[in-house]
Amino acid sequence: QAQLVESGGGSVQAGASLRLSCVVSRPSFAMGWLRQAPGKEREFVAEIVWNGGFTYYSRSVKNRYIISRNTAKNTLYLQMNNLKPDDTGVYYCAGKDNPGNPGGSFKEWGQGTQVTVSS
């Protein structure tokens, strides 16, 4: 089983930027980020095909977030710009083997890193 370790979260004010990282022991076909806001269900954020680099974003973060990866370092990244209070939540790194179903079918999860955005 893969080991996924997220880092880079923190508390910032609206408009700031953060860069999350996830070290993956064994990358899946695609890797992605999901988040869970307080009192809300977990939601999809972004994903990237590990080898091909194809990306897919949720509407709420498109044009503000950039997902990327360094295949040599087995590390997944999420650059978050112009953060808003609604971005607050625990961000999880996850893997999937299904080449279809954009935004879904994630099977492996990390422990998460907290992101808090204040106004």
Side-chain angles (χ1 to χ4, degrees), residues 12-18 64 80-85 87 117-119:
V12 299
Q13 291 188 318
S17 297
L18 283 173
R64 294 191 298 120
M80 305 183 293
N81 299 315
N82 191 24
L83 284 163
K84 306 176 184 298
D87 293 319
V117 184
S118 61
S119 59

PDB file of all heavy atoms in Angstrom, residues 12-18 64 80-85 87 117-119:
ATOM      1  N   VAL A  12      -3.420  31.646   7.124  1.00  0.00           N
ATOM      2  CA  VAL A  12      -3.081  32.841   6.357  1.00  0.00           C
ATOM      3  C   VAL A  12      -4.307  33.734   6.218  1.00  0.00           C
ATOM      4  O   VAL A  12      -5.430  33.326   6.517  1.00  0.00           O
ATOM      5  CB  VAL A  12      -2.546  32.489   4.952  1.00  0.00           C
ATOM      6  CG1 VAL A  12      -1.278  31.653   5.049  1.00  0.00           C
ATOM      7  CG2 VAL A  12      -3.611  31.750   4.147  1.00  0.00           C
ATOM      8  N   GLN A  13      -4.079  34.948   5.759  1.00  0.00           N
ATOM      9  CA  GLN A  13      -5.169  35.868   5.488  1.00  0.00           C
ATOM     10  C   GLN A  13      -5.605  35.765   4.034  1.00  0.00           C
ATOM     11  O   GLN A  13      -4.852  35.297   3.179  1.00  0.00           O
ATOM     12  CB  GLN A  13      -4.753  37.305   5.816  1.00  0.00           C
ATOM     13  CG  GLN A  13      -4.559  37.569   7.292  1.00  0.00           C
ATOM     14  CD  GLN A  13      -4.337  39.037   7.593  1.00  0.00           C
ATOM     15  OE1 GLN A  13      -3.607  39.720   6.874  1.00  0.00           O
ATOM     16  NE2 GLN A  13      -4.975  39.521   8.639  1.00  0.00           N
ATOM     17  N   ALA A  14      -6.815  36.181   3.764  1.00  0.00           N
ATOM     18  CA  ALA A  14      -7.345  36.148   2.408  1.00  0.00           C
ATOM     19  C   ALA A  14      -6.414  36.874   1.449  1.00  0.00           C
ATOM     20  O   ALA A  14      -5.886  37.939   1.763  1.00  0.00           O
ATOM     21  CB  ALA A  14      -8.737  36.769   2.372  1.00  0.00           C
ATOM     22  N   GLY A  15      -6.219  36.276   0.283  1.00  0.00           N
ATOM     23  CA  GLY A  15      -5.345  36.844  -0.717  1.00  0.00           C
ATOM     24  C   GLY A  15      -3.947  36.265  -0.715  1.00  0.00           C
ATOM     25  O   GLY A  15      -3.196  36.454  -1.673  1.00  0.00           O
ATOM     26  N   ALA A  16      -3.590  35.545   0.341  1.00  0.00           N
ATOM     27  CA  ALA A  16      -2.264  34.948   0.455  1.00  0.00           C
ATOM     28  C   ALA A  16      -2.167  33.673  -0.365  1.00  0.00           C
ATOM     29  O   ALA A  16      -3.155  33.193  -0.927  1.00  0.00           O
ATOM     30  CB  ALA A  16      -1.938  34.661   1.914  1.00  0.00           C
ATOM     31  N   SER A  17      -0.965  33.123  -0.421  1.00  0.00           N
ATOM     32  CA  SER A  17      -0.711  31.891  -1.153  1.00  0.00           C
ATOM     33  C   SER A  17      -0.079  30.842  -0.251  1.00  0.00           C
ATOM     34  O   SER A  17       0.613  31.171   0.711  1.00  0.00           O
ATOM     35  CB  SER A  17       0.222  32.148  -2.342  1.00  0.00           C
ATOM     36  OG  SER A  17      -0.368  33.020  -3.286  1.00  0.00           O
ATOM     37  N   LEU A  18      -0.332  29.590  -0.565  1.00  0.00           N
ATOM     38  CA  LEU A  18       0.282  28.465   0.120  1.00  0.00           C
ATOM     39  C   LEU A  18       0.637  27.406  -0.913  1.00  0.00           C
ATOM     40  O   LEU A  18      -0.025  27.299  -1.947  1.00  0.00           O
ATOM     41  CB  LEU A  18      -0.650  27.848   1.162  1.00  0.00           C
ATOM     42  CG  LEU A  18      -0.839  28.568   2.495  1.00  0.00           C
ATOM     43  CD1 LEU A  18      -1.927  27.870   3.302  1.00  0.00           C
ATOM     44  CD2 LEU A  18       0.466  28.602   3.274  1.00  0.00           C
ATOM     45  N   ARG A  64      -7.064  29.603  -9.864  1.00  0.00           N
ATOM     46  CA  ARG A  64      -6.393  30.024  -8.633  1.00  0.00           C
ATOM     47  C   ARG A  64      -5.388  28.982  -8.147  1.00  0.00           C
ATOM     48  O   ARG A  64      -4.358  29.337  -7.584  1.00  0.00           O
ATOM     49  CB  ARG A  64      -7.401  30.302  -7.524  1.00  0.00           C
ATOM     50  CG  ARG A  64      -8.314  31.487  -7.803  1.00  0.00           C
ATOM     51  CD  ARG A  64      -9.098  31.875  -6.553  1.00  0.00           C
ATOM     52  NE  ARG A  64      -9.969  30.790  -6.096  1.00  0.00           N
ATOM     53  CZ  ARG A  64      -9.880  30.213  -4.906  1.00  0.00           C
ATOM     54  NH1 ARG A  64      -8.950  30.615  -4.037  1.00  0.00           N
ATOM     55  NH2 ARG A  64     -10.718  29.248  -4.562  1.00  0.00           N
ATOM     56  N   MET A  80      -1.617  27.126  -4.195  1.00  0.00           N
ATOM     57  CA  MET A  80      -2.887  27.789  -3.957  1.00  0.00           C
ATOM     58  C   MET A  80      -2.658  29.294  -3.893  1.00  0.00           C
ATOM     59  O   MET A  80      -1.932  29.774  -3.020  1.00  0.00           O
ATOM     60  CB  MET A  80      -3.525  27.283  -2.663  1.00  0.00           C
ATOM     61  CG  MET A  80      -3.701  25.771  -2.616  1.00  0.00           C
ATOM     62  SD  MET A  80      -4.545  25.216  -1.117  1.00  0.00           S
ATOM     63  CE  MET A  80      -3.305  25.633   0.112  1.00  0.00           C
ATOM     64  N   ASN A  81      -3.274  30.020  -4.808  1.00  0.00           N
ATOM     65  CA  ASN A  81      -3.124  31.464  -4.871  1.00  0.00           C
ATOM     66  C   ASN A  81      -4.448  32.164  -4.594  1.00  0.00           C
ATOM     67  O   ASN A  81      -5.518  31.589  -4.784  1.00  0.00           O
ATOM     68  CB  ASN A  81      -2.604  31.878  -6.253  1.00  0.00           C
ATOM     69  CG  ASN A  81      -1.258  31.284  -6.576  1.00  0.00           C
ATOM     70  OD1 ASN A  81      -0.347  31.290  -5.755  1.00  0.00           O
ATOM     71  ND2 ASN A  81      -1.117  30.775  -7.800  1.00  0.00           N
ATOM     72  N   ASN A  82      -4.347  33.421  -4.161  1.00  0.00           N
ATOM     73  CA  ASN A  82      -5.532  34.226  -3.867  1.00  0.00           C
ATOM     74  C   ASN A  82      -6.521  33.452  -3.003  1.00  0.00           C
ATOM     75  O   ASN A  82      -7.698  33.319  -3.334  1.00  0.00           O
ATOM     76  CB  ASN A  82      -6.192  34.672  -5.167  1.00  0.00           C
ATOM     77  CG  ASN A  82      -7.267  35.723  -4.950  1.00  0.00           C
ATOM     78  OD1 ASN A  82      -7.245  36.442  -3.947  1.00  0.00           O
ATOM     79  ND2 ASN A  82      -8.216  35.805  -5.879  1.00  0.00           N
ATOM     80  N   LEU A  83      -6.032  32.967  -1.889  1.00  0.00           N
ATOM     81  CA  LEU A  83      -6.854  32.148  -1.003  1.00  0.00           C
ATOM     82  C   LEU A  83      -8.027  32.926  -0.431  1.00  0.00           C
ATOM     83  O   LEU A  83      -7.920  34.120  -0.143  1.00  0.00           O
ATOM     84  CB  LEU A  83      -6.004  31.583   0.127  1.00  0.00           C
ATOM     85  CG  LEU A  83      -5.099  30.417  -0.286  1.00  0.00           C
ATOM     86  CD1 LEU A  83      -4.010  30.186   0.745  1.00  0.00           C
ATOM     87  CD2 LEU A  83      -5.933  29.157  -0.482  1.00  0.00           C
ATOM     88  N   LYS A  84      -9.130  32.236  -0.265  1.00  0.00           N
ATOM     89  CA  LYS A  84     -10.355  32.811   0.259  1.00  0.00           C
ATOM     90  C   LYS A  84     -10.783  32.047   1.505  1.00  0.00           C
ATOM     91  O   LYS A  84     -10.405  30.894   1.684  1.00  0.00           O
ATOM     92  CB  LYS A  84     -11.461  32.739  -0.797  1.00  0.00           C
ATOM     93  CG  LYS A  84     -11.086  33.363  -2.138  1.00  0.00           C
ATOM     94  CD  LYS A  84     -12.186  33.170  -3.161  1.00  0.00           C
ATOM     95  CE  LYS A  84     -11.772  33.708  -4.520  1.00  0.00           C
ATOM     96  NZ  LYS A  84     -11.502  35.170  -4.483  1.00  0.00           N
ATOM     97  N   PRO A  85     -11.576  32.669   2.378  1.00  0.00           N
ATOM     98  CA  PRO A  85     -12.048  31.953   3.573  1.00  0.00           C
ATOM     99  C   PRO A  85     -12.735  30.628   3.254  1.00  0.00           C
ATOM    100  O   PRO A  85     -12.625  29.677   4.027  1.00  0.00           O
ATOM    101  CB  PRO A  85     -13.016  32.954   4.209  1.00  0.00           C
ATOM    102  CG  PRO A  85     -12.460  34.281   3.830  1.00  0.00           C
ATOM    103  CD  PRO A  85     -11.959  34.097   2.420  1.00  0.00           C
ATOM    104  N   ASP A  87     -11.830  28.519   1.235  1.00  0.00           N
ATOM    105  CA  ASP A  87     -10.819  27.501   0.970  1.00  0.00           C
ATOM    106  C   ASP A  87     -10.400  26.781   2.243  1.00  0.00           C
ATOM    107  O   ASP A  87      -9.657  25.797   2.179  1.00  0.00           O
ATOM    108  CB  ASP A  87      -9.582  28.118   0.318  1.00  0.00           C
ATOM    109  CG  ASP A  87      -9.856  28.651  -1.078  1.00  0.00           C
ATOM    110  OD1 ASP A  87     -10.582  27.972  -1.842  1.00  0.00           O
ATOM    111  OD2 ASP A  87      -9.339  29.737  -1.411  1.00  0.00           O
ATOM    112  N   VAL A 117      -7.949  30.050   6.291  1.00  0.00           N
ATOM    113  CA  VAL A 117      -7.888  31.358   5.644  1.00  0.00           C
ATOM    114  C   VAL A 117      -8.854  32.297   6.353  1.00  0.00           C
ATOM    115  O   VAL A 117     -10.058  32.036   6.411  1.00  0.00           O
ATOM    116  CB  VAL A 117      -8.240  31.271   4.153  1.00  0.00           C
ATOM    117  CG1 VAL A 117      -8.059  32.629   3.491  1.00  0.00           C
ATOM    118  CG2 VAL A 117      -7.384  30.222   3.454  1.00  0.00           C
ATOM    119  N   SER A 118      -8.332  33.378   6.877  1.00  0.00           N
ATOM    120  CA  SER A 118      -9.147  34.354   7.581  1.00  0.00           C
ATOM    121  C   SER A 118      -9.360  35.587   6.723  1.00  0.00           C
ATOM    122  O   SER A 118      -8.549  35.912   5.852  1.00  0.00           O
ATOM    123  CB  SER A 118      -8.496  34.747   8.907  1.00  0.00           C
ATOM    124  OG  SER A 118      -7.226  35.346   8.693  1.00  0.00           O
ATOM    125  N   SER A 119     -10.455  36.293   6.987  1.00  0.00           N
ATOM    126  CA  SER A 119     -10.775  37.498   6.234  1.00  0.00           C
ATOM    127  C   SER A 119     -10.199  38.738   6.885  1.00  0.00           C
ATOM    128  O   SER A 119     -10.089  39.775   6.274  1.00  0.00           O
ATOM    129  CB  SER A 119     -12.290  37.636   6.086  1.00  0.00           C
ATOM    130  OG  SER A 119     -12.910  37.701   7.362  1.00  0.00           O
TER     131      SER A 119
END
